[in-house]
């Protein structure tokens, strides 16, 4: 238990990479968090409600954050193809540009340099999150590759062309690049929900 407690002490200090009082490059920490999420989320999760869930805030506060990102030209909204009443939030090229100076980058580089390996560290964090989710009756966003709804597209398998996938939850095709993005409808293989 001592090592676990010490690990938490260290993790809290590492969190100073993404939690700060002042603005950095004109954005507060929550705005960076929102922009970062929208750049990593798939088209089903780039919504105001998924953003509020990820940042851990109310829809109203998330809307204010989106408004600031839109005013800065970092995000633009559009209607969803299937349901014109639904909104999708896309990161603009200007938003992608400022993400090059994301204050979380040193933390990412530190993980990439771990002797343990970034993949192993990621898998450990995933295990911790799954335990926390089970206790709090919630679930986290994760990538399609971990999701029970992902299947490899049969037509693509047969033609042996570039791998493509299908989401059985949304009944939608997914490209190889999309399956590495975050989704809030993700369901883990060994679901504890
Ligand atoms: S396969 Fe799972 S994670 Fe991927 S889009 Fe579908 S529901 Fe979301």
């Amino acid at each position: 238990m001592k090592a676990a407690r010490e690990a938490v002490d260290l993790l809290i200090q590492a969190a100073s990479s993404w939690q700060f009082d002042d603005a950095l490059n004109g954005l507060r920490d929550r705005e960076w968090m929102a922009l970062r999420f929208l750049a990593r989320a798939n088209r089903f999760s780039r919504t105001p409600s998924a953003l509020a869930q990820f940042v851990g805030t109310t829809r109203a506060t998330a809307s204010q954050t989106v408004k600031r990102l839109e005013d800065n030209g970092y995000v633009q909204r559009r209607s969803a193809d299937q349901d014109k009443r639904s909104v999708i939030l896309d990161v603009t090229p200007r938003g992608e540009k400022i993400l090059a100076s994301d204050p979380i980058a040193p933390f990412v580089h530190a993980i990439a340099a771990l002797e343990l390996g970034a993949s192993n560290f990621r898998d450990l964090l995933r295990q911790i999150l799954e335990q926390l989710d089970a206790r709090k009756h919630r679930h986290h966003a994760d990538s399609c590759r971990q999701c029970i709804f992902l299947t490899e597209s049969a037509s693509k398998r047969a033609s042996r062309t570039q791998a493509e996938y299908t989401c059985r939850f949304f009944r939608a095709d997914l490209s190889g690049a999309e399956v590495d993005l975050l989704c809030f409808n993700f369901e883990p293989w060994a679901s504890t929900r």
Side-chain angles (χ1 to χ4, degrees):
M1 209 61 176
K2 182 170 173 281
R5 183 67 249 183
E6 286 173 2
V8 171
D9 293 340
L10 296 171
L11 195 55
I12 289 168
Q13 292 173 82
S16 63
S17 302
W18 63 87
Q19 293 176 337
F20 42 86
D21 288 333
D22 298 330
L24 282 179
N25 290 330
L27 294 180
R28 293 187 287 262
D29 56 358
R30 282 237 166 134
E31 292 157 357
W32 275 111
M33 194 174 178
L35 186 60
R36 195 178 294 135
F37 171 72
L38 293 173
R40 289 277 306 136
N42 69 11
R43 63 189 193 270
F44 309 110
S45 289
R46 288 200 303 276
T47 64
S49 60
L51 175 63
Q53 212 175 331
F54 187 82
V55 179
T57 187
T58 62
R59 280 286 298 270
T61 305
S63 293
Q64 287 170 9
T65 303
V66 169
K67 171 100 179 38
R68 251 185 79 75
L69 294 175
E70 283 182 294
D71 289 348
N72 278 289
Y74 298 145
V75 164
Q76 62 189 14
R77 63 179 68 215
R78 64 181 164 92
S79 300
D81 294 340
Q82 309 85 341
D83 178 0
K84 297 294 176 202
R85 292 164 303 176
S86 301
V87 167
I88 296 181
L89 302 165
D90 292 327
V91 175
T92 62
R94 186 174 153 85
E96 296 286 357
K97 199 170 169 193
I98 197 169
L99 277 166
S101 55
D102 187 345
I104 212 169
F107 190 60
V108 175
H109 291 142
I111 293 172
L114 283 176
E115 264 183 48
L116 157 80
S119 306
N120 290 328
F121 184 70
R122 175 203 60 201
D123 294 344
L124 290 174
L125 282 180
R126 189 170 275 139
Q127 280 180 38
I128 292 169
L129 260 181
E130 284 170 0
Q131 284 190 41
L132 295 174
D133 286 352
R135 280 173 190 238
K136 296 194 167 185
H137 305 292
R138 61 169 198 196
H139 75 283
H140 65 276
D142 213 328
S143 68
C144 298
R145 291 191 194 278
Q146 311 300 318
C147 179
I148 59 171
F149 296 119
L150 185 72
T151 54
E152 197 175 347
S153 170
S155 59
K156 293 294 177 186
R157 267 204 311 269
S159 64
R160 294 180 183 279
T161 57
Q162 186 187 353
E164 292 266 344
Y165 302 86
T166 301
C167 166
R168 288 181 290 114
F169 183 85
F170 288 109
R171 297 184 182 176
D173 288 338
L174 299 170
S175 68
E178 280 181 301
V179 298
D180 287 321
L181 298 178
L182 293 174
C183 178
F184 258 110
N185 295 85
F186 142 88
E187 187 80 37
W189 278 101
S191 178
T192 47
R193 280 192 261 167

